């Protein structure tokens, strides 16, 4: 008997439904969208301390915004701090990956991907520092990446991969 005949026979014995033979995965990729809260936000505007966390409420967002906003570029006409942009926390959850204060340029942080398990979400983050031969500016930076995902109450863990930019 050919393999095709065996598959057809197995399907027939199983009631003809291919789903009987298939199993549902228990891990899914999470769709996310990078979040840039302002035209003045350039990804070096994060808090002074490293932070890998989840923001689920407006008060939490306003607290983080109070740490981001002072590092952002300014309009010549600006009077006072920029207000915290609206995020609909009934619909979205904000993922934050911030490397903290760095004493040179050339640092970056990015949210690479996310996976959802039955009981948690795992966020994969890449943090890069300037390599030995890189010409990095001597300016203080605060690398940060923000992403919005569909609202979740699951715990979120971070897997941070640290590396070095190769400059030669």
């Amino acid at each position: 008997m050919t393999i095709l005949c065996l598959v057809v026979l197995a399907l027939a014995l199983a009631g003809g439904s291919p789903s009987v033979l298939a199993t549902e995965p228990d891990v899914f990729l999470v769709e996310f969208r990078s979040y840039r809260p302002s035209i003045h936000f350039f990804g070096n505007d994060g808090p002074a301390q490293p932070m890998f966390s989840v923001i689920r409420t407006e008060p939490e967002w306003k607290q983080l915004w109070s740490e981001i906003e002072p590092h952002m570029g300014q309009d010549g006409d600006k009077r006072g701090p920029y207000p915290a942009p609206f995020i609909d926390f009934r619909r979205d959850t904000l993922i934050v990956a911030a490397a903290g204060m760095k004493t040179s340029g050339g640092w970056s942080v990015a949210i690479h991907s996310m996976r959802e398990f039955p009981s948690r979400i795992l966020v994969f983050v890449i943090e890069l520092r300037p390599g030995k031969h890189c010409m990095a500016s001597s300016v203080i930076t605060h690398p940060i990446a923000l992403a919005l995902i569909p609202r979740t109450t699951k715990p979120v863990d971070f897997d941070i991969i640290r590396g070095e930019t190769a400059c030669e």
Side-chain angles (χ1 to χ4, degrees), residues 136-153:
S137 61
S138 57
V139 63
I140 293 176
T141 60
H142 303 84
I144 186 171
L146 303 172
L148 291 170
I149 63 172
R151 180 172 167 73
T152 183
T153 58

Side-chain angles (χ1 to χ4, degrees), residues 62-102:
K62 286 184 175 180
Q63 173 60 44
L64 176 60
W65 183 253
S66 72
E67 297 178 49
I68 291 174
E69 194 277 338
H71 301 140
M72 291 179 11
Q74 308 295 316
D75 275 340
D77 298 338
K78 182 179 180 232
R79 305 273 190 262
Y82 295 115
F86 174 74
I87 295 176
D88 186 353
F89 288 104
R90 292 171 297 161
R91 189 185 69 171
D92 294 319
T93 296
L94 182 66
I95 305 297
V96 180
M101 184 180 77
K102 304 299 178 189

